[in-house]
Amino acid sequence: MDTGPDTLRNTDWDRTFHAYGCAADLPGPLAAVLSGDAGTFDEAVDRLYGAVLHQGTVYPATAPAALFLAGELGRPALDTVVEERASGPIAGRVVLLEFLAEAALSSLVDHGAGTPAPAPVPETERDRVIAMMRSEDEEEAIAVWEEPVVERLMLAGLADMRAAAPTLAEAVRPFLTHPDRSTRIRAVEAAAALRRLGAEAPDLSGAADLAECRDEGAAIVLALGDIGEDTTEFLAHADPVVRVCAALAPALRNDPVAVAELRSALTDPDAVAAWFTTPPARFALGGRDVLVEALAASSNATRTVTGPPVGTGTGDPG
């Protein structure tokens, strides 16, 4: 399956679409992520999120966009620092790995639900849809989204992401052992998300060998749980945060030791807010809500935790 420049050249962008209509405008922002300029990169990524992952929705143009970006992860232009976070300067490569992880997770909406593959859409119907999207008649351009064939094309876009998962995962794999810590963390998360989408299980041993701090250990343990590996051994880890991350594994949802770890963590929500410098993606919007949700899903959770949500802090990971 094509990646990088081959995807840019071989995709018929005029005959696919994103949240705003025909995707003929995508090659511009895709190429712009490789500009080496932080401002240009930021504008391009904003455009891509808005177009091919709009509100977490996957479109027919999402898979080719992801394949292009995955194939370019090794480009020196992506060493450019594009933003400053609490964890330090962030290179463009980190942002693209976050994008790939989100694209994979957004594609899980129908994965494994037993939904049959959509019937192929005749080329004449695809052309009709694209023509309506490009129409200067605003009413026609809006009305096309109600066409049943659009739903079939959207389902095909999800299928395209599942088909692309192994190729995307192979492109991410070298960055599991990248010298930069933030790159390793986001590569681990992307690899786990792609595994859930159908790629082979990633080998995280190299990332584990290079782990320098709690942030990395937590990301790896969360990833192991997400891809179905047994995280029971980490329930006895010396770091209570790693124990909690192990307890969040879906397979341990009803494990009494895991439930006890989650309850224990929630006795001090202020501490939860300061666990990470580089929060795992799951904790990006706040840790307390993540733990409460996990407890709520457990049949062994008999006590309700109340109180306001707590945002993620930026304390020393220890």
Side-chain angles (χ1 to χ4, degrees), residues 26 83 103-104 112 116 164 202 216 237 253 272 280 294 301:
L26 273 189
E83 61 178 286
E216 283 195 88
H237 196 278
R253 181 170 296 154
V272 175

Side-chain angles (χ1 to χ4, degrees), residues 192-205:
L194 289 162
R195 166 58 176 166
R196 294 175 64 189
L197 195 60
E200 291 187 5
D203 179 0
L204 301 181
S205 60

